Amino acid sequence: QETLSVGEAMITYASRVDLLRRSLAILIGLSIPISTVLTNILCPLALLLILAEGQYQLRFQRLRQLTIVVVALLLFGIILVGMINTPVSLITAGRMVDKYRELLYIPLFILLFRDNTTRRWGLFAFLGAMGITLFLSYLIAMTGWHFGKSTEEGSFVIFKNYITQGLLMS
């Protein structure tokens, strides 16, 4: 039985964590158009993985250099401060803050999709899910079969609501 040196064990750990990061990124690309629940499970897992990777100073420095990250975090911070000084209940204010949690996805996704290969495969996964959505939408339109989710107007959407589906499709 071979024993690994500390350096070899660290390389093995790092490569496994990197493979898991890439896999989570691709799954997130696939889940965004299909399932809010799955996306809401995968994103916190991705955050935990980023935290487990370590190298916090390097990651923070990379994020701090990107204007989009600084603006997103400042905007989220302003929303949090606004929550403190609001006449509505804390629960209602918390629901409003929750609507802007996607601002926190910006730095997460930058760290998660940090290499070209992962970005490309995440995009392919997203486009594949949107291709399935488009195919099924046309199938409903051409055949009149009723599957998917029915809207109040009597039309059908495949995975999410018609506004989100249309926005993601465009």
Side-chain angles (χ1 to χ4, degrees), residues 101-115:
R101 75 182 182 282
E102 284 86 2
L103 289 169
L104 300 176
Y105 289 165
I106 293 170
L108 174 66
F109 286 174
I110 287 172
L111 293 175
L112 198 60
F113 292 92
R114 63 179 169 255
D115 60 276

Side-chain angles (χ1 to χ4, degrees), residues 1-68:
Q1 180 179 1
E2 288 184 41
T3 58
L4 298 175
S5 70
V6 173
E8 291 171 331
M10 290 301 289
I11 290 171
T12 302
Y13 172 77
S15 63
R16 286 183 181 159
V17 168
D18 193 56
L19 177 65
L20 187 55
R21 174 190 61 83
R22 290 170 182 247
S23 301
L24 271 174
I26 293 165
L27 286 173
I28 288 171
L30 182 68
S31 73
I32 286 173
I34 294 175
S35 171
T36 302
V37 172
L38 187 57
T39 304
N40 288 341
I41 291 170
L42 293 173
C43 286
L45 285 176
L47 176 62
L48 290 175
L49 185 69
I50 296 294
L51 292 174
E53 279 182 314
Q55 301 177 350
Y56 304 117
Q57 192 171 17
L58 177 70
R59 306 271 187 254
F60 179 73
Q61 208 155 20
R62 164 105 171 97
L63 291 175
R64 203 176 68 194
Q65 294 171 351
L66 300 170
T67 306
I68 186 80

